[in-house]
């Protein structure tokens, strides 16, 4: 996971932004959970988009939110694809 985040930080350099990403899928399993917790540690803007029943469990959400308070990360859990994709952010990145 650390190598993935270093790559994201490298690609975000020069955009005056922190790594921002959306995990789209079943957040109850390892990738959704790991990306949410690691992103919260690294100060990222993390978005998990899935039906509510597929969100990471409350314990993992709590761990991520505790780390986010310290790192300044943003954690968004949503069922809304438009909210998760944040069209405004995509437009800014394209500039």
């Amino acid at each position: 996971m650390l190598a993935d985040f270093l790559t994201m930080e490298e690609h975000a350099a020069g955009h005056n932004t922190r790594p921002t990403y959306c995990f789209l899928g079943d957040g109850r399993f390892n990738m959704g959970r790991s990306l949410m917790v690691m992103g919260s540690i690294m100060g990222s803007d993390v978005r998990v988009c899935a039906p509510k029943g597929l969100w990471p469990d409350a314990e993992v959400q709590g761990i991520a939110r505790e780390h986010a308070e310290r790192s300044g990360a943003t954690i968004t859990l949503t069922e809304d694809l438009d909210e998760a994709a944040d069209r405004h952010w995509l437009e800014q990145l394209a500039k």
Side-chain angles (χ1 to χ4, degrees):
M1 296 290 324
L2 184 56
D4 294 331
F5 275 85
L6 292 174
T7 299
M8 285 191 275
E9 295 243 345
E10 181 180 318
H11 285 280
H15 291 285
N16 294 323
T17 185
R18 61 190 168 162
T20 299
Y21 59 90
C22 174
F23 176 80
L24 181 62
D26 191 338
R28 299 172 301 173
F29 296 106
N30 65 334
M31 283 308 299
R33 294 162 56 108
S34 296
L35 285 168
M36 189 170 75
V37 171
M38 186 67 173
S40 70
I41 292 168
M42 299 296 289
S44 300
D45 180 354
V46 182
R47 299 137 191 227
V48 175
C49 184
K52 204 170 224 176
L54 300 179
W55 289 0
D57 61 60
E59 180 181 2
V60 173
Q61 290 181 40
I63 291 167
R65 294 198 189 285
E66 286 177 18
H67 287 299
E69 286 180 24
R70 288 191 294 274
S71 71
T74 304
I75 307 293
T76 303
L77 297 165
T78 184
E79 295 179 287
D80 182 346
L81 184 56
D82 286 329
E83 179 184 5
D86 188 356
R87 307 279 185 221
H88 174 73
W89 177 82
L90 292 171
E91 291 169 5
Q92 294 299 315
L93 187 60
K95 290 182 180 182

